[in-house]
Amino acid sequence: MSTAILTGPPVAGSPLEADLRTLGFDVRTADDATAAAELINAVPAQERVAVVDPRFVGHLHALRLALTDPRFPAAAVPGALTAQPAARAALTRAVGRIPVGAGTAHLTDVLTDTLTESLDREETGLHRVELGSLVATVALTPAQREDAREAVAAVDDEAVRLRTAVKSRDGFFTTYCISPYSRYLARWCARRGLTPNQVTTASLLTALIAAGCAATGTRGGFIAAGFLLLFSFVLDCTDGQLARYSLQYSTMGAWLDATFDRAKEYAYYAGLALGAARGGDDVWALALGAMVLMTCRHVVDFSFNEANHDATANTSPTAALSGKLDSVGWTVWVRRMIVLPIGERWAMIAVLTALTTPRIVFYALLIGCALAACYTTAGRVLRSLTRRARRTDRAAQALADLADSGPLAELIARSARGRGRTGSFLAPVMAFLSAAVLLVWVIFENDPASWLTVGVAVCSALLAGAAVARPLKGALDWLVPPFFRAGEYVTILVLAARADVPGALPAAYGLVAAVAYHHYDTVYRIRGGTGAPPRWLVRATGGHEGRILVITVLAAALSPSGFTIALTALAVALALLVLIESIRFWVSSQAPAVHDEGEPA
């Protein structure tokens, strides 16, 4: 339930009450500030309440932005404000401070402004809506009302609503080939009562059908898969635009939108690998390599952003050069396309699927993503080395959570504490050595499925523990999680490939997919402000070093076929564990209602 309280002199013929009811509010009126206070206090604390001046003149969408956006505990435009349950206590206190008696007319004449200023002072998270070309004002005289109405008539708020439903920053393909018409699809969905979550689910189902078409291994199946993948991407853009158009933000929506993109892409890779196998071409290693590369790219993005999320003195010559380039229009699009964001990437995959073979799709994907990864990572390393930022404890904790260190690394870290200097390059060097020692061994050793490999894995774990022994506040400490991810994922890939038995690589693909989901889930929890997954879950999954030890022991102790069965069982167990906990958290948590706007490539 939502209640809107009109407080102030009534205005005959005003459409305001009808607009508020259109937005789902139960409208009540109050003659003066005292009556308004009584009505506000009478609304149950678990309900949203809005206070609106009857003299308000403005666009309906301005009211919608101020009064119905679920992301903010309190929001306001001139003449209207709202408080959700989280801000109701602050609003009650503000109402209690409303002055009465002589000399207070200037505070109660436009009561909404007085309450807005009071909420602002209480630091309740009040959101002052940026109106842009929209109009929202309190007209105190007939002349002001007439001027305001003319200003409202001069701007088409539906056109503004459609335009702002599209992300302000997106890739070239999405901006020019998808968004010009997907916004109208979003409006069509809104007018038929569809929710963003339903559109997100439709996008997932479409991508899964595309993967199924690719798995047929026929030319017709590949062509259908390409078209369906593009349509899935159209729906993927539409769900976010629908959320922004109708302000249907939700915790569940944020989780679904964030995780389904990865599920769709990686399911499609598997479909291509199955289709290729039907034609006699085994590309599972390429499919797994593409998934590993994409996940490591995203971990680089996430780690860098978290390390610098709230850093102070966060400037560098490289960042300044980037800002200058952004002022030159064509360079913005070139730089966005170089990183091969999701729109360009999916378009490339779809076209190549329809016209070529899965092997060529994966070759193009690996080459393109590798070049993009080198470009973005090199730029971030240069920024980190040239900026003099002071990183916070929150950033250090986020990087530690992203490192996904298990009990063994924790034990090693405790024993190594105090032996390194915070802010030095020790942590990334140790993390690099941890991954490099293991990978060089399993790649170049003639028989990596041996107990010697287990010993190397123990040495890798020792180096990993040393890497996280001190708070990760150094300039390049954001590289620690990506090094750990590369070490774990590539080790699984190589051991499965060297097993050289049918089913080993598909089993490894499932295992990496389950572990990658756990790592993405960690990212989205941190970005949602709810912290990392519980420690019991990290310990139960073994941490990255624990999983590597288990996998190397299984490879050494079992035959190749037994190793394949063990990988499959481990993939199923980990998938069930992380999925059940993730679903429980996102369904029941009180995470803020957000819609992901910053999804990387």
Side-chain angles (χ1 to χ4, degrees), residues 28 30 240 599-600:
R28 303 178 187 179
E599 181 69 15

Side-chain angles (χ1 to χ4, degrees), residues 499-565:
D500 198 24
V501 294
L505 279 167
Y509 191 94
L511 177 58
V512 172
V515 176
Y517 177 87
H518 167 58
H519 291 144
Y520 280 114
D521 188 51
T522 300
V523 167
Y524 296 128
R525 293 196 198 204
I526 293 172
R527 286 171 59 174
T530 57
R535 286 303 302 169
W536 71 260
L537 179 65
V538 177
R539 294 189 176 101
T541 61
H544 69 93
E545 80 290 348
R547 290 188 294 271
I548 289 173
L549 273 175
V550 168
I551 291 163
T552 54
V553 167
L554 292 174
L558 301 174
S559 65
S561 59
F563 179 58
T564 299
I565 295 172

Side-chain angles (χ1 to χ4, degrees), residues 6 9-19 54-57 145 149:
L6 295 174
V11 178
S14 171
L16 182 58
E17 287 192 40
D19 286 346
R55 297 163 293 184
F56 174 88
V57 179
R145 175 168 293 275
R149 285 174 173 169

Side-chain angles (χ1 to χ4, degrees), residues 213-235:
C213 291
T216 64
T218 64
R219 178 52 51 196
F222 288 147
I223 293 173
F227 279 109
L228 287 171
L229 186 65
L230 283 177
F231 183 59
S232 174
F233 183 65
V234 171
L235 293 176

Side-chain angles (χ1 to χ4, degrees), residues 335-356:
R335 292 165 66 211
R336 290 185 191 177
M337 293 173 69
I338 286 174
V339 301
L340 206 63
I342 187 169
E344 278 77 354
R345 188 168 70 252
W346 282 28
M348 180 187 74
I349 293 171
V351 171
L352 290 179
T353 298
L355 299 179
T356 64

Side-chain angles (χ1 to χ4, degrees), residues 229-580:
L229 186 65
L230 283 177
F231 183 59
S232 174
F233 183 65
V234 171
L235 293 176
D236 183 56
C237 295
T238 301
D239 66 357
Q241 291 165 359
L242 175 58
R244 287 181 286 273
Y245 180 85
S246 57
L247 300 183
Q248 295 183 74
Y249 301 98
S250 69
T251 300
M252 178 65 75
W255 174 60
L256 293 177
D257 186 63
T259 56
F260 279 11
D261 277 354
R262 304 285 77 78
K264 289 180 287 190
E265 189 165 2
Y266 297 160
Y268 192 81
Y269 293 173
L272 284 175
L274 288 170
R278 285 180 176 271
D281 189 11
D282 187 353
V283 296
W284 275 106
L286 296 177
L288 181 50
M291 181 166 67
V292 168
L293 180 55
M294 285 306 309
T295 305
C296 290
R297 270 193 69 191
H298 288 149
V299 174
V300 168
D301 295 335
F302 295 139
S303 297
F304 179 81
N305 291 336
E306 287 301 324
N308 296 283
H309 176 71
D310 48 6
T312 58
N314 200 13
T315 60
S316 74
T318 309
L321 175 60
S322 178
K324 290 180 179 178
L325 289 175
D326 282 342
S327 64
V328 183
W330 65 270
T331 67
V332 174
W333 295 117
V334 170
R335 292 165 66 211
R336 290 185 191 177
M337 293 173 69
I338 286 174
V339 301
L340 206 63
I342 187 169
E344 278 77 354
R345 188 168 70 252
W346 282 28
M348 180 187 74
I349 293 171
V351 171
L352 290 179
T353 298
L355 299 179
T356 64
T357 65
R359 181 172 290 273
I360 292 176
V361 173
F362 285 123
Y363 281 155
L365 189 61
L366 287 166
I367 293 170
C369 289
L371 292 174
C374 291
Y375 169 77
T376 56
T377 304
R380 286 166 178 171
V381 168
L382 287 174
R383 288 190 184 197
S384 299
L385 291 174
T386 55
R387 69 170 35 133
R388 301 185 182 279
R390 292 185 294 276
R391 292 170 177 84
T392 63
D393 291 337
R394 177 202 170 279
Q397 184 58 54
L399 291 180
D401 292 333
L402 291 173
D404 192 34
S405 299
L408 180 57
E410 286 181 338
L411 179 63
I412 297 168
R414 280 196 294 270
S415 64
R417 236 162 236 152
R419 300 185 184 179
R421 184 169 61 85
T422 300
S424 68
F425 296 119
L426 181 63
V429 169
M430 290 294 103
F432 171 77
L433 291 175
S434 173
V437 165
L438 183 62
L439 294 181
V440 168
W441 176 267
V442 297
I443 291 172
F444 295 104
E445 171 62 21
N446 290 330
D447 182 20
S450 68
W451 293 104
L452 284 175
T453 304
V454 177
V456 175
V458 171
C459 294
S460 174
L462 291 171
L463 292 168
V468 296
R470 303 286 293 175
L472 298 177
K473 293 184 176 182
L476 295 179
D477 285 1
W478 56 270
L479 287 170
V480 170
F483 284 144
F484 287 165
R485 296 297 80 77
E488 179 182 1
Y489 297 160
V490 178
T491 296
I492 296 172
L493 189 161
V494 173
L495 288 177
R498 299 288 292 275
D500 198 24
V501 294
L505 279 167
Y509 191 94
L511 177 58
V512 172
V515 176
Y517 177 87
H518 167 58
H519 291 144
Y520 280 114
D521 188 51
T522 300
V523 167
Y524 296 128
R525 293 196 198 204
I526 293 172
R527 286 171 59 174
T530 57
R535 286 303 302 169
W536 71 260
L537 179 65
V538 177
R539 294 189 176 101
T541 61
H544 69 93
E545 80 290 348
R547 290 188 294 271
I548 289 173
L549 273 175
V550 168
I551 291 163
T552 54
V553 167
L554 292 174
L558 301 174
S559 65
S561 59
F563 179 58
T564 299
I565 295 172
L567 282 182
T568 304
L570 188 58
V572 172
L574 279 174
L576 288 175
L577 182 62
V578 298
L579 276 172
I580 290 172

